[in-house]
Amino acid sequence: MPIFINEHNKEFHLQTKNSSYIFKVLKNGQLGQLYYGKRIRHKNNFAHLLQLPNEPVGNASFLYEGDNIFTLEVIKQEYPSYGTTDYREPAIQILQENGSRITDFRYKDFKAYKGKPKLKGLPATYVEDEGEGSTLEIILYDEVIDAQLKLTYSVFEDYSAIARSAYIINKGKQNLNIERIMSMNIDLPDSSFEMMHLDGAWIRERHINTRTLKPGIQSIDSKRGASSSQHNPFIALKGLRADEDYGEVYGFSFVYSGNFVAQVEVDHYNTSRIQMGINPFDFNWLLEPGEDFQAPEVVSVYSDKGLNHMSQTYNELYRKRLARGLWRDKERPILINNWEATYFNFNEEKIMKLAKRAKDVGIELFVLDDGWFEGRNDDTTSLGDWFVDKNKLPNGLKGLGKKIEDLGMKFGIWFEPEMLSKNSRLYKLHPDWMIKVSDRSPSHGRNQYVLDFSRREVREEIYSMLRKILLEAPISYVKWDMNRNMTEIGSSALTPERQREVPHRYILGLYEILEKLTSEFPSILFESC
């Protein structure tokens, strides 16, 4: 098992094919980061890797009276708390009932085992048998607030990748407000890196942007409710001389679709603190006694063979151990979509004419785009009313799909299930199902609004409509569109103190619907658009 534990001095060594990751329990019970880089041989003592000042540090704050050496301000940390002599950004911040924001999560125990656990309600990498990966769980505890924090590290030895996440449970009697919970923190000993990220805009995604690290915080994020095309939830730190094939590169990828932040803080000693997680901007999670919270997963990859090796590692890992289902290893069909040819102006005759031409040139899959449901003759109406328009398709989706399959092609369809038109049956029945704030005028995007997937009844209604269509028609492919981001974020179903939970609850609701549909219809290929 590629996890080595020096129990006598509480050191933990995660070892992949090409990398080593080492941290330990500090004398104050918090975790200190020792090493992340090229694979090294395991030893029974890594004390020489702990970097402490050689003399008293001027103007620093120290944890122990009479000790002018031990200060978290200069120690590399694994998961820093707020308010205990470290002035850099914390990994976690919790507001307590007495107004305190101070936390002190100290080491209690560990657990190491083969395999990798699932994350509650969230997508994550996985193993198909226990031999593919190993997991280390570190249990930390804050006795004052009676809360347990679990840090999970899963090692994919053959991929040189480590998947990390954080989980907290309130075991006390008071309400806790999580204001910040990063999925990952790591302190590197210097700042001699360039930060790479993938930026862009609609239909212009993933342009490589590079900047040299400078003192202070450099970050990318999303406050849109989704991770967005503006910034992909990924960053890489590459050595100043690293290129595609040579040099050190650290990659960090967030397996999450909602608001996020990825940042690097360079302090006055030129150490680099990398953090990735749910964006703390406009975020708060009320954790009542007995409740828990699971943060999403970050996958880190180390390469000493340049950017290309890092990219190949992510590609292989995500293709084989993040993607799931029947289509994971199958070649995708060649498809044609009617949108540019017809927009909303079509009927069954026109669609079949296109399909026959497509078949003649070797197309394998015909996808019917927007406009097939009742009243949808332009983009101002009918989102949320997922009922076939018999004026356009008198034989329904079932009849059209059969005709296309009789040509020797597969049949696919377009949905935008997360959205709502005010001019729709669904809105007339349930105007409160829209994400909005009651005393503010809602902004639209593309004449549409966002459904409140944080509400179970909304998810159940949409799921029921989609399921009915997928059961009735011979659909092999779904183009799942999402054409606007959140504004005036609020839910009429949540209390005032829970309103900042809406974006994350929405994403969890979306994941729930997708999980149910892909489980019930495993042969359908779902595309996120």
Side-chain angles (χ1 to χ4, degrees), residues 333-336 355-365 408-409:
I334 301 170
L335 68 82
I336 189 170
K356 289 174 183 176
R357 292 287 300 274
K359 174 62 179 176
D360 290 342
V361 296
I363 302 297
E364 300 167 308
L365 169 65
M409 304 169 70

Side-chain angles (χ1 to χ4, degrees), residues 78-81 89-93 180-182 184-185 275:
E78 184 64 17
Y79 202 82
S81 292
E89 294 276 293
I92 190 166
Q93 187 171 4
R180 180 186 187 92
I181 180 165
M182 294 292 104
M184 180 218 72
N185 180 98
Q275 293 183 337

Side-chain angles (χ1 to χ4, degrees), residues 426-489:
L426 189 64
Y427 181 78
K428 289 180 175 64
L429 288 171
H430 303 287
D432 60 319
W433 283 11
M434 185 172 79
I435 284 181
K436 61 181 179 179
V437 177
S438 61
D439 56 354
R440 301 288 179 182
S441 177
S443 308
H444 75 85
R446 292 170 57 109
N447 299 302
Q448 62 194 51
Y449 302 86
V450 184
L451 277 168
D452 186 358
F453 274 12
S454 73
R455 300 178 62 159
R456 178 165 299 279
E457 64 269 32
V458 178
R459 300 194 300 270
E460 289 177 349
E461 178 67 17
I462 295 299
Y463 172 75
S464 177
M465 285 192 278
L466 301 185
R467 179 178 184 273
K468 187 172 186 293
I469 290 165
L470 297 178
L471 284 171
E472 289 179 350
I475 294 170
S476 301
Y477 172 98
V478 169
K479 177 185 175 185
W480 188 295
D481 217 337
M482 196 283 281
N483 281 312
R484 72 152 297 186
N485 294 117
M486 295 182 190
T487 55
E488 295 85 36
I489 299 172

